Amino acid sequence: MHLIKIELIERHVTPTSATSADAEAVASFSKLRSELDALLPGTGSYYNEGDYTDVAFQNRYWGSNYPELLATKRKYDPDNVFTCHQCVGSEDSCARRLSAGTLHL
């Protein structure tokens, strides 16, 4: 098993739920992620260190386990009470948040 870790840290920013993401930085990181995906196909990401803007988070974080995890989530939390950005079952809220331009760190 091989591991590559890339960290991009803005040291002058203290993110909060109200901190807007820098659109230029998001675009730049998106380009980098695309290049890495092309270079390293089929790789994943550790959930706590993943890309907040990744719309394909299901496979990247959860892999082939996602369908079973989603079925379990829907069985035990049918009202989606327990949720967060890019958690199992959060596709709709993530898509709305990312497409509405209300992206926050």
Side-chain angles (χ1 to χ4, degrees):
M1 175 159 109
H2 300 283
L3 175 70
I4 295 175
K5 182 176 181 178
I6 297 174
E7 284 191 38
L8 302 173
I9 299 173
E10 291 288 330
R11 301 207 185 276
H12 65 277
V13 174
T14 304
T16 71
S17 62
T19 304
S20 294
D22 179 315
E24 185 177 326
V26 169
S28 178
F29 188 76
S30 245
K31 181 179 181 219
L32 173 62
R33 186 181 65 232
S34 293
E35 291 171 0
L36 287 171
D37 286 345
L39 181 65
L40 305 164
T43 58
S45 179
Y46 176 61
Y47 174 73
N48 285 343
E49 295 182 3
D51 177 5
Y52 190 87
T53 65
D54 191 354
V55 295
F57 67 90
Q58 301 89 337
N59 187 55
R60 190 174 309 275
Y61 299 153
W62 315 108
S64 62
N65 297 313
Y66 193 79
E68 184 178 352
L69 292 167
L70 183 58
T72 302
K73 163 79 171 161
R74 289 179 175 161
K75 177 179 179 180
Y76 292 104
D77 186 18
D79 296 324
N80 203 28
V81 174
F82 302 102
T83 190
C84 69
H85 186 71
Q86 295 179 329
C87 285
V88 172
S90 66
E91 291 85 348
D92 293 339
S93 61
C94 287
R96 280 193 309 272
R97 189 176 295 115
L98 293 173
S99 68
T102 56
L103 180 62
H104 294 281
L105 298 174

